[in-house]
Each structure stands twice: as C-alpha cells, then as structure tokens.
C-alpha cells in the first residue's frame, strides 16, 4: 500500500492555490486540485502531471455542504484519504460599509468561513483515523483592517480564530492547524482590485512592492513555500500559528 500523502487544495485552478498544489505535488503528495469547476482545474493538474506528480481535478463549491461531502468522497476513492487540507478558495466583494450589500457580506462569509468549516469538518475524520494531519488556512493582512473590506477582513480575522481552535481540538490526534496571512500577491484577485480602483496593474504592483521592506511584489510561490513548511512532517510542533507573509513586519 502506498504511503503517499493525499492533499486537497481548494481554489487551486489559479493563483496561490495553483502554486500551492504544484508545490505540494513536488513535495511528493498526491494532490486534489479543487475549484468551482473541474474543467478550470485542468491546467494545474496538467502542470503537476507533466512534472511527474500525481493530481486530479475536482469541481465543488466549498460553501455547499453536499458538494463538499461528495468532493471529499471522490478524493478518497480516487487518491486515498486526504490528510492535508489547504483552505485557500476565496472571493472579494469589496465596498465601503454603507454601500455593502447583504449578499456581498454573505458571499464572502460563505466562501471563506463556511467553506473552511465544511472542508475541515469533512476532512478531519480522515486525519483523526490516520493519527496525522495538516490544515493550512489562508488568512490575509486585511484581517488587521482594510478600507472597503468589512466583509473580507472579518472573514480573514475569523480564519485566524478558527485555525487556533482547530489546533486546540485536533492536536491530540496528530493534526496541526496553521494560518498564512499574505500581503499583496500578484494574482487575478489583485488584478481585479487594481481594475476596480482604476489603477493600471503594473502601477499597482509597483506601489505594493514599494510598500514592503524587501521591495518585492509577492508571488504565489512565496505563499506555496510557507504552506509547504506547515504541511511537512518536520512542522509537527508548530500549530495554531498565524504567519504573515507580506514582505514587511505586521502585527
Ligand atoms: P484568485 O481569485 O486568483 O483564486 C481564487 C480561486 O478560488 C479561484 O480559482 C476561484 O474560482 C476559487 N473559488 C472561489 N470561490 C470558490 C468556491 N466557493 N469554491 C471553490 N473554489 C472557489 O485568488 P488568490 O489571489 O490566488 O487568493 C487565494 C487565497 O489567498 C484567497 O483565500 C485570498 O483571499 C487569499 N489572499 C490573497 C492575497 C493576494 O494578494 N492575492 C492576499 C491575502 C490573501
């Protein structure tokens, strides 16, 4: 029987999730590349298999309980029991509070918090059975507050409390839970933000890089590297932590 670990990365069709799926595959895991639509995952799956790794595409909306249960069952049947979970799927619905619709609030809560809850709840039983597991949740520097993001900052702060509680509950079963809070990362998500505020993406990238201590525009791989650390065997004593990966000190 194979001892290859099985990971699920949500929102892995593109951006940070795609880079993370590829990184975990190159670390030796079989990876379920999960996103809203299985077809959209194909590029990530192809990149992994081309590099000699093992991956499948899975379509599911992480905020839908039935779809999450189906997706985790599919992964278990096709790859094996998932013991590594990266809750990365995310959306923005930015607006100032007085203009923010209830739908925009609920959508953001649904994908980030409900989604991470459903995925973690569904996967934890496989981790507990195995006596080993790794959960990595994507928070954000916006958890510290950000204009126009009452919904997103509340969700990303919520991810931190959720992570710490999972760490406390699941530690005795060999399962760690940690959060990564990225600053600016160059992806389609931040491209959409630049478009929304009417700034050319290149100017936006430069301004974000200038605002860091290291004068670098963060790339998806910068986050994938941090996920790889938390998911590793060697990180067994690291749990309930929030790692800001933002090119500058954050608090
Ligand atoms: P992205 O928009 O490029 O990718 C997000 C992916 O999530 C998309 O492929 C999308 O289809 C998928 N997704 C959305 N809703 C989903 C759902 N209900 N079910 C399944 N999949 C769904 O975003 P990104 O920049 O790669 O961000 C990834 C994560 O990192 C998000 O949680 C985001 O909030 C967080 N983050 C990003 C940045 C940044 O600067 N890019 C900074 C901090 C945190």
């Amino acid at each position: 029987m194979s001892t290859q670990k099985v990971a699920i990365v949500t929102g892995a069709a593109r951006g940070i999730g795609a880079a993370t799926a590829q990184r975990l595959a190159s670390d030796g895991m079989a990876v379920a590349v999960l996103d809203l639509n299985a077809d959209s995952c194909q590029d990530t799956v192809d990149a992994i298999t081309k590099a000699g790794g093992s991956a499948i595409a899975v379509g599911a909306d992480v905020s839908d309980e039935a779809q999450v249960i189906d997706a985790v069952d599919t992964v278990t049947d096709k790859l094996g029991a998932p013991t590594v979970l990266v809750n990365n799927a995310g959306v923005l619905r930015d607006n100032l509070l007085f203009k923010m619709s209830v739908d925009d609030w609920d959508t953001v809560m649904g994908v980030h918090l409900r989604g991470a809850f459903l995925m973690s709840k569904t996967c934890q039983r496989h981790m507990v059975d195995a006596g080993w597991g790794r959960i990595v949740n994507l928070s954000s520097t916006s958890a510290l507050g950000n204009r126009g993001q009452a919904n997103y900052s509340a969700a990303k702060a919520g991810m931190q409390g959720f992570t710490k509680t999972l760490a406390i509950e699941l530690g005795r079963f060999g399962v760690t839970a940690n959060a990564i809070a990225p600053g600016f990362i160059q992806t389609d998500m931040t491209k959409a933000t630049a478009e929304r505020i009417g700034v050319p993406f290149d100017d936006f990238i430069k301004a974000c890089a200038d605002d860091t201590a290291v004068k670098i525009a963060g790339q998806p791989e910068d986050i994938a590297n941090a996920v790889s650390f938390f998911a590793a065997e060697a990180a067994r004593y690291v749990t309930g932590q929030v790692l800001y990966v933002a090119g500058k000190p954050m608090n």
Side-chain angles (χ1 to χ4, degrees):
M1 198 166 138
S2 164
T3 55
Q4 188 177 34
K5 292 195 160 74
V6 175
I8 300 179
V9 183
T10 71
R14 67 185 198 188
I16 293 169
T20 298
Q22 291 176 66
R23 176 58 201 256
L24 295 182
S26 75
D27 290 345
M29 296 175 196
V31 180
V33 176
L34 186 151
D35 211 292
L36 281 170
N37 173 336
D39 289 347
S40 70
C41 299
Q42 205 50 51
D43 285 353
T44 309
V45 169
D46 288 348
I48 291 172
T49 48
K50 219 173 131 194
S54 164
I56 59 166
V58 182
D61 177 345
V62 296
S63 66
D64 182 302
E65 184 181 14
Q67 290 186 38
V68 165
I69 291 169
D70 267 6
V72 174
D73 283 349
T74 300
V75 174
T76 309
D77 288 347
K78 291 194 180 167
L79 292 179
T83 55
V84 176
L85 170 65
V86 184
N87 285 308
N88 166 81
V91 288
L92 294 179
R93 293 289 185 275
D94 295 354
N95 227 327
L96 293 174
L97 181 63
F98 78 102
K99 288 193 283 192
M100 187 174 285
S101 71
V102 173
D103 265 3
D104 287 348
W105 176 270
D106 288 345
T107 298
V108 168
M109 292 301 151
V111 176
H112 298 270
L113 286 177
R114 191 170 204 265
F117 160 69
L118 289 171
M119 288 298 306
S120 303
K121 183 176 170 167
T122 311
C123 289
Q124 60 82 31
R125 117 183 121 81
H126 295 296
M127 301 182 191
V128 170
D129 284 352
W132 190 90
R134 298 282 185 263
I135 297 172
V136 184
N137 295 321
L138 268 290
S139 177
S140 167
T141 51
S142 294
L144 302 168
N146 200 24
R147 184 179 164 82
Q149 293 195 317
N151 49 2
Y152 186 79
S153 65
K156 290 308 200 186
M159 291 295 261
Q160 299 189 7
F162 179 63
T163 301
K164 290 173 188 180
T165 298
L166 295 190
I168 291 165
E169 289 189 13
L170 298 174
R172 69 196 63 198
F173 304 108
V175 179
T176 66
N178 291 285
I180 296 169
F184 170 83
I185 303 294
Q186 195 176 330
T187 68
D188 288 332
M189 182 180 272
T190 43
K191 192 172 180 195
T193 299
E195 276 165 15
R196 188 178 59 79
I197 61 176
V199 177
F201 196 35
D202 284 345
D203 295 353
F204 191 65
I205 292 168
K206 190 179 174 310
C208 290
D210 285 347
D211 188 44
T212 67
V214 294
K215 306 300 172 198
I216 287 171
Q219 298 300 315
E221 293 71 24
D222 293 311
I223 305 306
N225 289 335
V227 177
S228 172
F229 167 70
F230 284 131
E233 192 67 51
R236 65 176 196 173
Y237 203 50
V238 182
T239 195
Q241 299 305 301
V242 179
L243 179 64
Y244 283 89
V245 181
K248 62 181 174 183
M250 301 296 303
N251 52 39

